[in-house]
Amino acid sequence: MGAWLPIAEIAAKVAAGELKATDLVEQSLKAIEGNKEFDAIIVTLASNARARAAAVDAGDNKGRLAGVPFIAKDNFLVFGADTTAASNILRGFEAPYQATAINRLEAEGAICVAKANLDAFAHGASTENSDFMTTKNPHDKTRVPGGSSGGSAASVALELAPFALGTDTGGSIRQPSSFTGVVGYKPTYGTISRSGVVAMGSSLDVIGPMARTVEDAALIFDVMAGRDDLDGTTIERDSAGYTGLSGDIVGKKIGIIKEYMGEGLDEGVKGVITEAADKLKAAGAEITEVSLPSLPTALAVYYILCPAEVSSNLGRYDGQRYGHHASDAKNLDQSYTHARGQGFGKEAKRRIMIGTYVLSSGYYDAYYKKAQTVRTKLINEFNKAFEEVDFLLGPVAPTTAFTIGANADDPLQMYLSDVMTVGANLVGIPAISLPAGLSENLPVGLQLMAPQRSDRALLELAQAAEGLLV
Ligand code: GLN
């Protein structure tokens, strides 16, 4: 048994007066204090969290998440501390309002205790692009926890809280979940409001839970999901909701993605994924191989469209309105250029340059427009695949957690870590990373995907599968 009960049980016990929110918050703060060497946490929200816990214990305890502590990636706007997105340019920025996702969790009694480290602005796959520190993998301190939600993933693996929030633009929930052995859920695009989350690539960004079990992740998703007037891309909830899952594997048609199982895939990872597919087959699933011929282009498409959107979204950080202000500027122009020059890290600058390049006149047609065309082709190929199978299966990443420093000076090598995750973002479909076993003592995640808006069906399959896998 781990440090925390299942989330629904914690809330039920708090409601019944058998557990105190105050004790749960102290347990979480103590765990954070005792695990500082992993550099998972940027800041705690101790005084706010204690005040909220006291209110829960005083009778405000009827919510579905009453007294449940959690950790938010530091790109969520939360009251009580700066929101930095792990970037120097946002140091000192205090949220004037909270993310819708945070408000919905709080309305059910959950308590945000801390903000987790990430690659600055969520650009990366290891947390090494954080302007503050690199998070260490709980399974091996010499290795990265993945990224960009590496602090959130490490927090769940270290049981600093029962769950954490991440964001996934090209794999940032799933890949760190795979690297640290936790459950990471990337829902259908639009199911959770992006209001109050630092924007990266707005047509790709989704929010999602990271937890120890599918049941916990589904409950957190259920609380956050649904239309929000503050985000016009949000969609209606599934009328059945996302809890009370009763999955069955028998008769489910699952396609193994051929393009993810070939060249470039680590042999140990391949072994774990093949074994997982065999277990699903033995449990009654119909396993076939499915080909998505344009999938090998997805990484290139992503690294055109994502920087294009990043360059636009980062335009607002001009040194006037948020965080860092250049004190050495002699005029307004310098105030902009110095603040951006000083405040943005290397990776943000790289993406701004790539993004503005692919959007510039003369190159727009050759890069941005072409990438959009291929994105549509990918959507069509996934739709076609989902006419034959109910779900798709593959690895989350080509390797297990890599050594700190191994890819840090080689952006292309770092980008390759995303080769199996960006497809789901480009197509907007739900995808989950489920702990599937170990390769050389390091966790390997199994990725399962479903058609858009089939979140409930995917979570049901994942819950049925998780018992079989490890
Ligand atoms: N690793 C990918 C990138 O660097 C994905 C990041 C994310 O999902 N936020 O863009």
Side-chain angles (χ1 to χ4, degrees), residues 73 75 119 121-126 129 147-149 167-175 200 205 302-303 306 310 347 351 414-415 417-418 421-422 425:
K73 188 176 179 178
N75 56 354
D119 291 289
F121 286 110
H123 305 161
S126 68
N129 293 338
S148 61
S149 314
T167 58
D168 192 314
T169 303
S172 277
I173 288 175
R174 289 161 287 155
Q175 184 256 25
M200 180 176 167
D205 293 346
Y302 174 83
Y303 275 102
C306 175
V310 162
E347 185 61 28
R351 293 190 192 213
M414 190 71 88
Y415 295 170
S417 193
D418 310 327
T421 44
V422 295
N425 299 79

Short mmCIF file of all heavy atoms in Angstrom, two decimals, residues 73 75 119 121-126 129 147-149 167-175 200 205 302-303 306 310 347 351 414-415 417-418 421-422 425, ligand 1:
data_model
loop_
_atom_site.label_atom_id
_atom_site.label_comp_id
_atom_site.label_asym_id
_atom_site.label_seq_id
_atom_site.Cartn_x
_atom_site.Cartn_y
_atom_site.Cartn_z
N LYS A 73 1.28 21.70 -12.21
CA LYS A 73 2.42 22.16 -13.02
C LYS A 73 2.43 23.70 -12.95
O LYS A 73 1.35 24.32 -12.94
CB LYS A 73 2.18 21.65 -14.45
CG LYS A 73 3.30 21.83 -15.44
CD LYS A 73 2.90 21.18 -16.78
CE LYS A 73 3.94 21.32 -17.85
NZ LYS A 73 3.57 20.65 -19.13
N ASN A 75 2.55 25.98 -14.88
CA ASN A 75 1.97 26.81 -15.95
C ASN A 75 0.45 26.98 -15.77
O ASN A 75 -0.23 27.49 -16.66
CB ASN A 75 2.31 26.26 -17.35
CG ASN A 75 1.88 24.82 -17.55
OD1 ASN A 75 1.41 24.16 -16.62
ND2 ASN A 75 2.04 24.33 -18.77
N ASP A 119 9.78 22.07 -18.12
CA ASP A 119 10.60 22.78 -19.10
C ASP A 119 9.95 24.16 -19.28
O ASP A 119 8.73 24.25 -19.41
CB ASP A 119 10.59 22.04 -20.43
CG ASP A 119 11.34 20.72 -20.36
OD1 ASP A 119 12.57 20.75 -20.28
OD2 ASP A 119 10.68 19.65 -20.39
N PHE A 121 7.99 27.16 -20.19
CA PHE A 121 6.86 27.29 -21.12
C PHE A 121 6.41 25.94 -21.69
O PHE A 121 5.75 25.89 -22.73
CB PHE A 121 7.18 28.27 -22.26
CG PHE A 121 7.16 29.70 -21.81
CD1 PHE A 121 8.34 30.43 -21.73
CD2 PHE A 121 5.98 30.32 -21.43
CE1 PHE A 121 8.33 31.75 -21.29
CE2 PHE A 121 5.96 31.64 -20.99
CZ PHE A 121 7.14 32.36 -20.92
N ALA A 122 6.83 24.86 -21.04
CA ALA A 122 6.48 23.49 -21.47
C ALA A 122 7.16 23.09 -22.77
O ALA A 122 6.72 22.18 -23.46
CB ALA A 122 4.95 23.31 -21.57
N HIS A 123 8.27 23.76 -23.09
CA HIS A 123 9.03 23.42 -24.30
C HIS A 123 10.11 22.41 -23.94
O HIS A 123 11.20 22.80 -23.52
CB HIS A 123 9.75 24.64 -24.87
CG HIS A 123 8.88 25.81 -25.17
ND1 HIS A 123 9.37 27.07 -25.33
CD2 HIS A 123 7.54 25.89 -25.37
CE1 HIS A 123 8.37 27.91 -25.60
NE2 HIS A 123 7.25 27.22 -25.63
N GLY A 124 9.85 21.14 -24.12
CA GLY A 124 10.90 20.18 -23.85
C GLY A 124 10.38 18.83 -23.46
O GLY A 124 9.17 18.59 -23.39
N ALA A 125 11.33 17.91 -23.22
CA ALA A 125 10.98 16.51 -22.94
C ALA A 125 11.79 15.94 -21.80
O ALA A 125 11.95 14.74 -21.68
CB ALA A 125 11.18 15.68 -24.21
N SER A 126 12.33 16.85 -20.93
CA SER A 126 13.21 16.35 -19.88
C SER A 126 13.24 17.21 -18.61
O SER A 126 13.87 16.82 -17.63
CB SER A 126 14.64 16.27 -20.42
OG SER A 126 15.15 17.58 -20.66
N ASN A 129 15.09 22.10 -19.78
CA ASN A 129 14.89 23.46 -20.28
C ASN A 129 14.25 24.38 -19.24
O ASN A 129 13.96 25.54 -19.55
CB ASN A 129 14.01 23.46 -21.54
CG ASN A 129 14.69 22.81 -22.72
OD1 ASN A 129 15.91 22.71 -22.76
ND2 ASN A 129 13.91 22.34 -23.69
N GLY A 147 9.52 15.10 -19.82
CA GLY A 147 9.00 16.47 -19.78
C GLY A 147 7.94 16.68 -20.83
O GLY A 147 7.64 15.78 -21.59
N SER A 148 7.31 17.80 -20.82
CA SER A 148 7.69 18.90 -19.95
C SER A 148 7.11 18.80 -18.53
O SER A 148 7.60 19.48 -17.63
CB SER A 148 7.22 20.22 -20.57
OG SER A 148 5.81 20.25 -20.70
N SER A 149 6.09 17.94 -18.32
CA SER A 149 5.47 17.86 -16.98
C SER A 149 6.29 16.94 -16.06
O SER A 149 5.72 16.11 -15.33
CB SER A 149 4.03 17.35 -17.07
OG SER A 149 3.31 18.00 -18.09
N THR A 167 0.18 19.37 -18.53
CA THR A 167 -0.35 19.82 -19.83
C THR A 167 0.38 19.03 -20.91
O THR A 167 1.51 18.59 -20.70
CB THR A 167 -0.13 21.32 -20.07
OG1 THR A 167 1.28 21.61 -19.98
CG2 THR A 167 -0.90 22.16 -19.06
N ASP A 168 -0.31 18.81 -22.02
CA ASP A 168 0.24 17.96 -23.08
C ASP A 168 -0.02 18.63 -24.42
O ASP A 168 -1.16 18.71 -24.88
CB ASP A 168 -0.45 16.58 -23.00
CG ASP A 168 0.23 15.50 -23.84
OD1 ASP A 168 0.54 15.78 -25.01
OD2 ASP A 168 0.41 14.37 -23.32
N THR A 169 1.05 19.14 -25.03
CA THR A 169 0.97 19.80 -26.33
C THR A 169 1.52 18.89 -27.41
O THR A 169 1.07 18.90 -28.56
CB THR A 169 1.77 21.12 -26.27
OG1 THR A 169 1.23 21.92 -25.21
CG2 THR A 169 1.72 21.89 -27.58
N GLY A 170 2.52 18.07 -27.00
CA GLY A 170 3.10 17.10 -27.93
C GLY A 170 3.55 15.85 -27.20
O GLY A 170 4.37 15.09 -27.72
N GLY A 171 3.05 15.67 -25.98
CA GLY A 171 3.43 14.47 -25.23
C GLY A 171 3.77 14.72 -23.78
O GLY A 171 4.12 13.80 -23.04
N SER A 172 3.65 15.96 -23.34
CA SER A 172 4.18 16.35 -22.03
C SER A 172 3.49 15.75 -20.82
O SER A 172 4.01 15.87 -19.71
CB SER A 172 4.17 17.87 -21.89
OG SER A 172 5.30 18.39 -22.51
N ILE A 173 2.34 15.12 -20.98
CA ILE A 173 1.78 14.34 -19.87
C ILE A 173 2.24 12.90 -20.01
O ILE A 173 2.69 12.26 -19.06
CB ILE A 173 0.23 14.41 -19.86
CG1 ILE A 173 -0.24 15.79 -19.42
CG2 ILE A 173 -0.35 13.32 -18.96
CD1 ILE A 173 -1.74 16.00 -19.48
N ARG A 174 2.14 12.38 -21.23
CA ARG A 174 2.36 10.94 -21.43
C ARG A 174 3.83 10.52 -21.31
O ARG A 174 4.14 9.51 -20.68
CB ARG A 174 1.81 10.53 -22.81
CG ARG A 174 0.28 10.55 -22.88
CD ARG A 174 -0.20 10.60 -24.31
NE ARG A 174 0.03 11.93 -24.89
CZ ARG A 174 0.16 12.18 -26.17
NH1 ARG A 174 0.13 11.18 -27.04
NH2 ARG A 174 0.34 13.41 -26.59
N GLN A 175 4.74 11.28 -21.91
CA GLN A 175 6.14 10.85 -21.89
C GLN A 175 6.73 10.86 -20.48
O GLN A 175 7.33 9.88 -20.06
CB GLN A 175 6.93 11.68 -22.91
CG GLN A 175 8.38 11.28 -23.08
CD GLN A 175 9.28 12.29 -22.36
OE1 GLN A 175 8.86 12.96 -21.42
NE2 GLN A 175 10.53 12.38 -22.81
N MET A 200 0.79 27.40 -24.95
CA MET A 200 1.97 26.99 -25.73
C MET A 200 1.57 26.95 -27.20
O MET A 200 1.80 27.89 -27.93
CB MET A 200 2.49 25.65 -25.22
CG MET A 200 3.71 25.18 -25.98
SD MET A 200 4.36 23.65 -25.27
CE MET A 200 5.48 23.16 -26.57
N ASP A 205 -2.71 22.24 -27.29
CA ASP A 205 -2.65 22.16 -25.82
C ASP A 205 -3.85 21.45 -25.21
O ASP A 205 -5.00 21.80 -25.52
CB ASP A 205 -2.64 23.58 -25.21
CG ASP A 205 -1.38 24.38 -25.51
OD1 ASP A 205 -0.40 23.80 -25.97
OD2 ASP A 205 -1.42 25.62 -25.27
N TYR A 302 4.66 18.66 -36.52
CA TYR A 302 4.55 19.26 -35.18
C TYR A 302 5.59 20.36 -34.99
O TYR A 302 5.28 21.43 -34.47
CB TYR A 302 4.73 18.16 -34.11
CG TYR A 302 4.78 18.69 -32.70
CD1 TYR A 302 3.60 18.95 -31.99
CD2 TYR A 302 5.99 18.95 -32.06
CE1 TYR A 302 3.64 19.44 -30.70
CE2 TYR A 302 6.04 19.45 -30.76
CZ TYR A 302 4.86 19.70 -30.09
OH TYR A 302 4.90 20.19 -28.81
N TYR A 303 6.82 20.10 -35.40
CA TYR A 303 7.88 21.09 -35.17
C TYR A 303 7.86 22.24 -36.18
O TYR A 303 8.77 23.06 -36.20
CB TYR A 303 9.24 20.41 -35.01
CG TYR A 303 9.42 19.98 -33.57
CD1 TYR A 303 9.24 18.65 -33.18
CD2 TYR A 303 9.66 20.93 -32.58
CE1 TYR A 303 9.34 18.27 -31.84
CE2 TYR A 303 9.76 20.56 -31.24
CZ TYR A 303 9.60 19.25 -30.87
OH TYR A 303 9.69 18.90 -29.54
N CYS A 306 3.84 23.74 -34.09
CA CYS A 306 3.97 24.11 -32.69
C CYS A 306 4.79 25.40 -32.52
O CYS A 306 4.31 26.35 -31.88
CB CYS A 306 4.54 22.93 -31.89
SG CYS A 306 4.88 23.37 -30.19
N VAL A 310 3.68 28.83 -30.88
CA VAL A 310 4.48 29.33 -29.75
C VAL A 310 4.93 30.76 -30.02
O VAL A 310 4.83 31.64 -29.15
CB VAL A 310 5.72 28.42 -29.52
CG1 VAL A 310 6.78 29.13 -28.68
CG2 VAL A 310 5.30 27.11 -28.86
N GLU A 347 15.60 27.73 -25.56
CA GLU A 347 14.61 26.96 -26.31
C GLU A 347 13.45 27.85 -26.74
O GLU A 347 12.95 27.73 -27.87
CB GLU A 347 14.11 25.76 -25.49
CG GLU A 347 13.17 24.82 -26.22
CD GLU A 347 13.78 24.15 -27.46
OE1 GLU A 347 15.01 23.97 -27.52
OE2 GLU A 347 13.00 23.84 -28.39
N ARG A 351 12.34 28.52 -30.62
CA ARG A 351 10.98 28.31 -31.16
C ARG A 351 10.41 29.60 -31.74
O ARG A 351 9.67 29.57 -32.72
CB ARG A 351 10.08 27.70 -30.09
CG ARG A 351 10.55 26.29 -29.77
CD ARG A 351 9.60 25.52 -28.91
NE ARG A 351 10.29 24.32 -28.45
CZ ARG A 351 9.72 23.16 -28.24
NH1 ARG A 351 8.44 23.02 -28.41
NH2 ARG A 351 10.42 22.11 -27.84
N MET A 414 16.56 15.70 -28.78
CA MET A 414 15.51 15.89 -27.77
C MET A 414 14.14 15.80 -28.44
O MET A 414 13.22 15.17 -27.92
CB MET A 414 15.69 17.25 -27.09
CG MET A 414 14.83 17.45 -25.87
SD MET A 414 15.32 16.46 -24.47
CE MET A 414 16.53 17.53 -23.70
N TYR A 415 13.98 16.42 -29.61
CA TYR A 415 12.69 16.42 -30.30
C TYR A 415 12.26 14.99 -30.67
O TYR A 415 11.08 14.68 -30.71
CB TYR A 415 12.74 17.28 -31.57
CG TYR A 415 12.96 18.78 -31.35
CD1 TYR A 415 13.22 19.63 -32.42
CD2 TYR A 415 12.90 19.35 -30.08
CE1 TYR A 415 13.42 20.99 -32.24
CE2 TYR A 415 13.10 20.71 -29.88
CZ TYR A 415 13.37 21.53 -30.97
OH TYR A 415 13.57 22.88 -30.79
N SER A 417 12.37 12.45 -28.96
CA SER A 417 11.68 11.80 -27.84
C SER A 417 10.16 11.91 -27.99
O SER A 417 9.41 11.17 -27.37
CB SER A 417 12.14 12.43 -26.53
OG SER A 417 11.74 11.65 -25.44
N ASP A 418 9.72 12.86 -28.84
CA ASP A 418 8.28 13.12 -29.00
C ASP A 418 7.66 12.38 -30.18
O ASP A 418 6.48 12.57 -30.48
CB ASP A 418 8.05 14.63 -29.24
CG ASP A 418 8.76 15.49 -28.23
OD1 ASP A 418 8.89 15.05 -27.07
OD2 ASP A 418 9.20 16.60 -28.59
N THR A 421 4.33 10.62 -29.58
CA THR A 421 3.26 11.30 -28.84
C THR A 421 2.60 12.44 -29.63
O THR A 421 1.42 12.73 -29.41
CB THR A 421 3.79 11.87 -27.49
OG1 THR A 421 5.05 12.49 -27.72
CG2 THR A 421 3.92 10.77 -26.47
N VAL A 422 3.33 13.08 -30.54
CA VAL A 422 2.79 14.27 -31.20
C VAL A 422 1.57 13.96 -32.07
O VAL A 422 0.70 14.81 -32.27
CB VAL A 422 3.85 15.02 -32.04
CG1 VAL A 422 4.95 15.58 -31.14
CG2 VAL A 422 4.43 14.12 -33.12
N ASN A 425 -1.77 14.66 -30.52
CA ASN A 425 -2.06 16.10 -30.38
C ASN A 425 -2.48 16.70 -31.71
O ASN A 425 -3.41 17.52 -31.77
CB ASN A 425 -0.84 16.85 -29.84
CG ASN A 425 -0.43 16.36 -28.46
OD1 ASN A 425 0.22 15.33 -28.35
ND2 ASN A 425 -0.84 17.05 -27.42
N1 GLN B 1 8.34 17.66 -25.97
C1 GLN B 1 7.42 18.36 -26.78
C2 GLN B 1 7.93 19.73 -27.12
O1 GLN B 1 8.99 20.05 -26.70
C3 GLN B 1 6.08 18.42 -26.15
C4 GLN B 1 5.96 19.47 -25.12
C5 GLN B 1 4.59 19.52 -24.50
O2 GLN B 1 3.75 18.66 -24.73
N2 GLN B 1 4.34 20.58 -23.78
O3 GLN B 1 7.32 20.47 -27.80
#
